[in-house]
Amino acid sequence: MAGSASLTITGLHAGYGAVRVLEDVGLTVAPGETVALLGTNGNGKSTLMHCVMGLVRPSQGSIRATLDGQEIDLIGHSPEEIVELGIVLVPEGRRLFPLLSVEENLLLGAWRAAARPKRLANLEFCYDCFPRLKERRRQATGTMSGGEQQMVALARAIMAEPRLLLVDEPSVGLAPLLVARTMDKIAELQRRLGLTVLMAEQNFPQAVRIADRGYVLVHGRIEYAAASAAELNENQLVRNLYFGS
Amino acid sequence: MTVKTEAALRPRPALPAGHIAFWGGAALLCLALVAGFRVLDNEYAWFAGYFILQYVLLATAWNILGGYAGYVNFGAAGFLAVGAYTTVALRKAFGLDLLPCIAAAACIGGLLGLGTGWLALRLKGVYFAIATLSLAVLLHTIVVNWSFVGGSRGAYVLRPASIPPFVSYGEYLFVVMLVLAVIGVGIARGIEGSRLGMGLAALRDDERAAEAAGVPTLRLKLVATTLSGALMAVAGAPLSHYTGYLNPEAAFGLAFSVNAIAMPLIGGAGTWFGPVIGAVLLASLQQAATVTISSAANLMIVGVVLVIFAAAAPRGIVGLIRGGRHR
């Protein structure tokens, strides 16, 4: 379903009032790539995601998406306009609609005009990817387990037929086994739909397992850009941050 | 809610069976009510019936914003009074009949609702509730100082003795409010099954997530506040004709604001049927208390019932009937 989609961020500064969170951040995500944005808590990963989605307005810098050869400046657009372009976020902590059923959550994901006519087919696709959700389609998502909720959050984003998928900390609050499964699902969706993926994650080993390459964000700056997953694994900075050696 | 989802999935016929059942049922109920009251042949029946129906409409209107979108409006009395005073002003200025005044009240209430929607863009939760409360106080002050509509002394409205096909003016008012209430409930029911209703439910559950999912929260909130405001003003538009005299204390009465919130909560907020049950139940109780004890007992009754429901049935009567499907 996806055409080619890429993302280029340059010189991005953002913050909340007097608090500066991102300083001169630049990164690129090429078509069909899975890029990991690594860093521990409070380094600005979510803020960066929110800037792309139009949920936070950066003070400086540019965010450009290229969709099917057409370059679009994302800054100044509202979140719904950005979703209309096919850029969709799986928010940190799932952020489902807890009183609504699984199916209602998924159908709400298909608000995007381009995805609306195909929502029934996409619903089938999601149920095919996540058979558990089909069993639970009538259940209120607020009553589901964390792993199931993460499936709903991923499926809800897929319902919008994303071209560029942003995933913010999919591992939060999940048991290690479920983190691994979630990562596998993201990789599977990326493959099946030809998505371009930017994923913010703290869980370094799991993220590197499915990423093509990655960036390490420390105190709002990109401290290291790795050209491959292998480079990430070998980098001394990463070792210091994650393994304390 | 399951019913709603399945309806959203099925290709829709031009006039789905559910709609025929609703509008047919509503028409039958209206005819039965009017016929039954005529048999009773008691002027008080029309009077009490109007009282209850006005609350059905007010509670339904509140529910569109409060129940579906989760924005609590504490200033329902302000909207209702705007409707009531629209009628007083237009009647005095142009000698208009009640029906055109109701249409005008809908427009002015809708505009005021749109203004409230603008507030809702910035304010959430408790802050929004306080802002609507202040709005009602502000409007109250304006009316008290507006001598054209009688200021704090109030205004008398001379109503006709009767309007031809109806036996009395009381019956006429009852039928007018009955039709308005059915339209209001029909609109609420329509919203509930639509994309608009789904979008409102999403922003009620998690506004940030709704935005990130591409739901145009801003537009939906404006639609909800406008509709809700218009219907509240409509509920108040005939008030001066109902009592024959209108003063700010009556029009901006605390009872309207409290009931507008209590009725949907007791009946089951977020469903079209909830406010209807809540309004019929609470308004009947209050009308009975007014006759047997004193109208001073009304707010106390609302308070007691509300406390009981908050403790025993937080999802209201509709929630009790549906059982514990949610939480």
Side-chain angles (χ1 to χ4, degrees):
Chain A
M1 68 166 89
S4 76
S6 65
L7 182 72
T8 307
I9 298 176
T10 48
L12 194 73
H13 291 253
Y16 306 93
V19 184
R20 300 179 65 175
V21 179
L22 296 178
E23 285 185 62
D24 198 22
V25 169
L27 64 80
T28 59
V29 188
E33 258 190 331
T34 299
V35 172
L37 185 62
L38 300 160
T40 49
N41 251 343
N43 282 306
K45 301 189 299 297
S46 291
T47 303
L48 183 74
M49 294 295 202
H50 287 174
C51 285
V52 177
M53 289 308 295
L55 291 162
V56 169
R57 183 145 196 174
S59 51
Q60 255 189 69
S62 89
I63 303 174
R64 297 181 157 272
T66 308
L67 304 163
D68 299 327
Q70 201 188 349
E71 199 183 51
I72 300 155
D73 185 357
L74 298 183
I75 291 178
H77 286 284
S78 70
E80 76 223 44
E81 287 167 342
I82 290 170
V83 172
E84 281 299 320
L85 294 173
I87 300 173
V88 181
L89 171 72
V90 181
E92 178 176 5
R94 277 87 65 176
R95 304 293 288 259
L96 301 176
F97 309 118
L99 297 180
L100 302 185
S101 69
V102 169
E103 197 150 296
E104 285 166 330
N105 268 272
L106 297 190
L107 288 172
L108 273 161
W111 199 281
R112 186 183 166 217
R116 207 175 302 152
K118 287 176 266 174
R119 66 187 190 281
L120 296 188
N122 289 339
L123 198 61
E124 279 314 306
F125 176 84
C126 286
Y127 284 152
D128 180 49
C129 265
F130 303 99
R132 172 67 67 86
L133 297 187
K134 188 162 192 171
E135 293 165 25
R136 306 255 163 143
R137 52 200 278 226
R138 306 279 172 78
Q139 191 175 336
T141 54
T143 64
M144 300 174 91
S145 74
E148 289 164 341
Q149 290 191 8
Q150 188 62 59
M151 292 182 200
V152 179
L154 273 173
R156 183 179 63 186
I158 295 304
M159 289 294 290
E161 296 206 341
R163 295 194 277 185
L164 175 61
L165 183 69
L166 307 178
V167 189
D168 195 358
E169 299 250 13
S171 73
V172 163
L174 296 185
L177 181 65
L178 291 173
V179 175
R181 277 195 203 151
T182 302
M183 292 297 165
D184 290 339
K185 273 296 168 196
I186 294 171
E188 179 192 329
L189 290 169
Q190 189 277 335
R191 223 175 29 246
R192 283 176 73 172
L193 301 170
L195 299 173
T196 304
V197 179
L198 175 63
M199 176 173 69
E201 188 49 71
Q202 304 193 34
N203 188 323
F204 176 80
Q206 285 296 335
V208 170
R209 202 162 58 78
I210 68 162
D212 295 315
R213 56 191 185 86
Y215 295 88
V216 180
L217 199 60
V218 182
H219 300 317
R221 289 173 178 279
I222 299 279
E223 288 293 337
Y224 180 63
S228 69
E231 266 186 41
L232 274 174
N233 273 322
E234 288 156 14
N235 183 259
Q236 193 53 43
L237 173 73
V238 173
R239 296 196 154 271
N240 288 343
L241 282 172
Y242 282 94
F243 306 110
S245 61
Chain B
M1 284 198 195
T2 5
V3 182
K4 186 171 70 191
T5 311
E6 281 161 0
L9 280 171
R10 247 182 284 120
R12 289 187 183 190
L15 198 61
H19 285 268
I20 298 173
F22 173 79
W23 290 108
L28 279 181
L29 185 68
C30 291
L31 288 177
L33 274 177
V34 174
F37 279 24
R38 278 209 171 174
V39 172
L40 272 180
D41 192 25
N42 183 341
E43 190 60 23
Y44 171 72
W46 305 117
F47 183 86
Y50 174 95
F51 179 83
I52 294 167
L53 288 170
Q54 141 196 296
Y55 273 124
V56 168
L57 182 53
L58 187 67
T60 298
W62 183 91
N63 191 46
I64 289 177
L65 185 63
Y68 296 155
Y71 275 78
V72 173
N73 182 348
F74 259 98
F79 285 89
L80 184 118
V82 162
Y85 272 98
T86 301
T87 302
V88 171
L90 288 180
R91 198 171 164 79
K92 192 171 172 200
F94 308 109
L96 287 185
D97 283 338
L98 180 59
L99 295 184
C101 288
I102 292 175
C107 298
I108 293 182
L111 280 177
L112 190 65
L114 192 65
T116 323
W118 181 76
L119 285 178
L121 307 184
R122 284 132 228 280
L123 301 173
K124 298 195 197 328
V126 168
Y127 302 99
F128 177 77
I130 291 173
T132 53
L133 186 62
S134 331
L135 179 73
V137 173
L138 178 82
L139 291 168
H140 182 228
T141 313
I142 291 173
V143 169
V144 163
N145 290 290
W146 190 16
S147 57
F148 181 72
V149 292
S152 58
R153 280 175 296 115
Y156 286 92
V157 173
L158 291 177
R159 55 186 220 184
S162 69
I163 286 192
F166 303 100
V167 183
S168 67
Y169 198 74
E171 182 188 350
Y172 169 69
L173 280 180
F174 174 85
V175 171
V176 166
M177 193 45 89
L178 184 60
V179 171
L180 293 175
V182 168
I183 292 173
V185 172
I187 290 175
R189 185 175 168 277
I191 291 176
E192 203 175 313
S194 70
R195 260 163 69 72
L196 171 62
M198 282 266 268
L200 291 175
L203 77 89
R204 173 192 64 203
D205 274 12
D206 191 329
E207 197 162 332
R208 218 44 196 312
E211 274 179 45
V215 176
T217 56
L218 187 116
R219 230 179 315 150
L220 298 193
K221 279 193 281 186
L222 290 180
V223 172
T225 53
T226 305
L227 272 176
S228 175
L231 289 177
M232 282 191 201
V234 165
L239 187 62
S240 57
H241 288 63
Y242 174 66
T243 51
Y245 166 72
L246 189 71
N247 70 353
E249 301 322 309
F252 287 91
L254 177 65
F256 288 125
S257 291
V258 172
N259 276 314
I261 300 172
M263 288 165 173
L265 290 186
I266 286 166
T271 64
W272 66 269
F273 198 50
V276 178
I277 312 182
V280 170
L281 186 80
L282 265 187
S284 310
L285 256 179
Q286 289 177 63
Q287 195 51 229
T290 305
V291 175
T292 54
I293 314 168
S294 142
S295 60
N298 282 352
L299 276 181
M300 200 178 76
I301 291 173
V302 177
V304 171
V305 176
L306 196 54
V307 169
I308 293 171
F309 268 86
R315 291 184 59 80
I317 294 169
V318 170
L320 270 185
I321 297 168
R322 284 195 186 160
R325 219 168 60 81
H326 299 295
R327 270 188 289 191

